[in-house]
């Protein structure tokens, strides 16, 4: 039993309740998407990253502090050995409402069914283009057909409300936004468009030059689809619309054009065990140090997490013209 039972919720200095944790379980990936990684990446040595047991332990601490939703991400979470056991263990935490996963889809053909059996409720699959050559350009190593088959496998496994995430870059894939929405409609799934964020040093493009705003995407879509506003919130940063006459919802994640910080309910656990209080700032607390210095001391871990809420910044500091503002890549961060 907890010695601090009066605290069942994490609340920061600005009155925001934190009930959503995103965990990066690996910085490794079988893709090298141009907005996420450099072509040559140096990955972290094993001793520096959390073990699966440590991740599970920290997830439990957060659940005891009122976190209701956990997203497992990376890097590519499905390339980490033991990921299914980890998901099964986290899925058993009773107080959690939702265990969800982000993936690039490359391993879904083999893993979708086993994933469904772990207790994962929903999955997000990245898909930026429907053109095989462009897919190769953007992901550098990915194969479009494999991911498309993965999406089919996820549907067959019975996942509900599958969502595609598409990062839109001007003159790379911005002309495809209507086709991507049509793909979502044809497959009865959802889609979110993401504005690129300046995380980590990349070498393929100038981020300010390829910026394509959510408003531009919306006006492109309105040429072909009727988008109706909806109230429904998923607990994430997306603002959603329903495509009239379909089951598909279209979301916009707009860190530059529509700041979402005032309703931020989330924190991130990096692959190295740092609790990151904001994606667009460096404020963090080293939870790995705490659990390795005092193994099994759940109270100490929970107290550290509670105190960390005091340094959660009010808002992110992204600026496309001043690069790189944040040196860590999305893959290590838990995007
Ligand atoms: N590998 C998995 C995937 O691709 O879905 C999970 C990790 S990935 C870092 C999570 C999401 O972050 C993906 O939808 C990806 O497109 C997005 N992402 C990566 N780098 C980004 C950046 N610099 N700006 C905006 N979104 C980014
Ligand atoms: Fe890998 Fe996902 Fe980053 Fe692409 S966005 S390189 S798939 S972690």
């Amino acid at each position: 039993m907890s010695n601090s039972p009066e605290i069942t919720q994490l609340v920061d200095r600005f009155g925001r309740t934190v009930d959503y944790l995103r965990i990066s379980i690996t910085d490794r990936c079988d893709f090298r998407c141009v907005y996420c990684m450099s072509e040559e990446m140096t990955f972290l040595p094993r001793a520096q990253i959390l073990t699966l047991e440590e991740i599970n332990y920290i997830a439990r601490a957060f659940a005891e502090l009122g976190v209701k939703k956990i997203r497992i991400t990376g890097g590519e979470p499905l390339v980490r050995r033991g990921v299914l056991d980890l998901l099964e263990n986290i899925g058993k935490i009773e107080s959690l409402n939702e265990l969800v996963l982000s993936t690039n889809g490359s391993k879904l053909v083999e893993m979708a069914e086993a994933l469904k059996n772990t207790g994962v409720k929903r999955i997000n699959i990245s898909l930026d283009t429907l053109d095989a050559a462009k897919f190769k350009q953007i992901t550098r190593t990915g194969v479009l057909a494999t991911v498309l088959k993965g999406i089919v496998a996820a549907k067959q496994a019975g996942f509900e409300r599958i969502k595609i995430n598409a990062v839109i870059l001007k003159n790379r894939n911005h002309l495809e936004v209507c086709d991507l929405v049509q793909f979502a409609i044809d497959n009865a799934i959802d889609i979110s468009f993401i504005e690129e964020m300046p995380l980590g040093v990349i070498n393929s493009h100038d981020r300010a030059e390829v910026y394509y705003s959510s408003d531009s995407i919306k006006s492109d879509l309105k040429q072909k689809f009727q988008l109706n506003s909806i109230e429904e919130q998923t607990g994430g940063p997306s603002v959603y619309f329903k495509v009239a006459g379909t089951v598909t919802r279209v979301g916009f994640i707009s860190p530059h054009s529509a700041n979402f910080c005032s309703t931020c309910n989330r924190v991130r656990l990096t692959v190295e065990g740092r609790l990151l209080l904001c994606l667009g700032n460096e404020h963090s607390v080293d939870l790995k140090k705490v659990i390795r210095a005092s193994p099994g001391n759940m109270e100490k871990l929970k107290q550290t997490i509670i105190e960390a809420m005091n340094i959660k910044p009010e808002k992110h500091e992204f600026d496309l013209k001043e690069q790189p503002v944040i040196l860590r890549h999305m893959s290590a961060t838990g995007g």
Side-chain angles (χ1 to χ4, degrees):
M1 275 294 276
S2 160
N3 288 329
S4 50
E6 66 280 6
I7 297 178
T8 51
Q9 278 199 323
L10 294 169
V11 181
D12 76 356
R13 288 173 297 155
F14 306 98
R16 296 171 298 192
T17 299
V18 170
D19 58 7
Y20 180 8
L21 173 68
R22 301 170 75 116
I23 307 178
S24 173
I25 65 164
T26 177
D27 58 337
R28 290 161 199 263
C29 186
D30 47 351
F31 290 4
R32 295 283 183 279
C33 301
V34 291
Y35 44 74
C36 181
M37 293 191 180
S38 299
E39 196 151 14
E40 298 299 327
M41 291 288 290
T42 310
F43 295 111
L44 292 163
R46 181 170 279 267
Q48 227 163 300
I49 70 171
L50 292 176
T51 65
L52 296 178
E53 291 72 27
E54 288 170 334
I55 294 171
N56 188 37
Y57 188 68
I58 295 176
R60 271 208 293 128
F62 273 94
E64 288 181 22
L65 291 168
V67 161
K68 298 289 177 211
K69 175 174 175 180
I70 292 183
R71 174 173 302 281
I72 301 297
T73 176
E76 175 46 43
L78 298 185
V79 304
R80 177 138 187 202
R81 201 175 306 151
V83 60
L84 292 173
D85 290 338
L86 173 72
L87 291 166
E88 203 171 322
N89 286 330
I90 296 180
K92 283 186 195 139
I93 301 176
E94 275 182 17
S95 61
L96 270 192
N97 291 344
E98 263 200 307
L99 173 61
V100 296
L101 176 98
S102 292
T103 174
N104 64 20
S106 69
K107 301 262 179 290
L108 283 175
V109 169
E110 307 97 271
M111 295 178 76
E113 211 170 299
L115 256 184
K116 185 75 174 62
N117 294 333
T118 63
V120 168
K121 289 271 183 330
R122 288 188 297 112
I123 52 179
N124 290 352
I125 306 169
S126 290
L127 180 69
D128 302 325
T129 172
L130 296 166
D131 177 301
K134 235 185 261 172
F135 190 86
K136 177 69 80 190
Q137 268 169 20
I138 292 177
T139 62
R140 292 196 182 101
T141 56
V143 177
L144 175 66
T146 309
V147 173
L148 295 180
K149 282 185 207 146
I151 295 173
V152 173
K155 283 191 70 178
Q156 280 169 352
F159 281 106
E160 284 165 24
R161 295 240 75 101
I162 294 169
K163 188 175 73 145
I164 286 170
N165 276 333
V167 176
I168 299 301
L169 309 177
K170 190 160 78 185
N171 295 331
R172 305 280 166 114
N173 60 349
H174 82 277
L175 293 176
E176 278 194 75
V177 294
C178 285
D179 291 347
L180 285 164
V181 168
Q182 192 58 53
F183 175 84
I185 293 170
D186 294 344
N187 288 282
I189 59 184
D190 294 333
I191 180 164
S192 272
F193 292 106
I194 308 175
E195 289 178 351
E196 189 190 16
M197 300 171 218
L199 296 174
V201 178
I202 54 163
N203 50 13
S204 72
H205 59 269
D206 174 339
R207 282 182 151 135
E209 216 170 274
V210 300
Y211 175 60
Y212 199 68
S213 72
S214 292
D215 280 346
S216 308
I217 300 173
K218 234 176 272 172
S219 69
D220 294 346
L221 295 180
K222 282 180 181 162
Q223 308 286 325
K224 188 164 173 202
F225 307 102
Q226 186 186 324
L227 300 182
N228 297 331
S229 311
I230 43 176
E231 291 293 309
E232 207 179 324
Q233 275 289 331
T234 58
S238 273
V239 176
Y240 281 103
F241 295 81
K242 184 93 179 272
V243 185
T246 76
V247 296
T248 294
R249 296 181 311 168
V250 180
F252 296 91
I253 301 177
S254 322
H256 305 293
S257 59
N259 190 288
F260 43 63
C261 300
S262 65
T263 56
C264 182
N265 62 342
R266 52 205 163 270
V267 290
R268 292 170 164 83
L269 181 64
T270 73
V271 68
E272 290 180 280
R274 292 196 82 84
L275 176 63
L276 192 65
L277 282 310
C278 170
L279 187 56
N281 276 284
E282 298 290 4
H283 301 60
S284 69
V285 173
D286 191 347
L287 298 186
K288 182 179 69 188
K289 198 162 147 198
V290 174
I291 56 175
R292 290 193 183 173
S294 313
N297 191 340
M298 184 57 103
E299 282 319 307
K300 181 153 193 198
L301 173 60
K302 288 193 337 195
Q303 198 53 41
T304 308
I305 296 170
I306 290 165
E307 283 162 19
M309 293 302 121
N310 292 327
I311 59 162
K312 185 167 165 63
E314 188 174 11
K315 56 188 175 58
H316 68 65
E317 308 288 349
F318 290 145
D319 182 345
L320 287 174
K321 292 186 199 83
E322 298 227 355
Q323 288 197 57
V325 178
I326 302 291
L327 289 172
R328 51 186 154 65
H329 286 95
M330 185 72 119
S331 48
T333 298

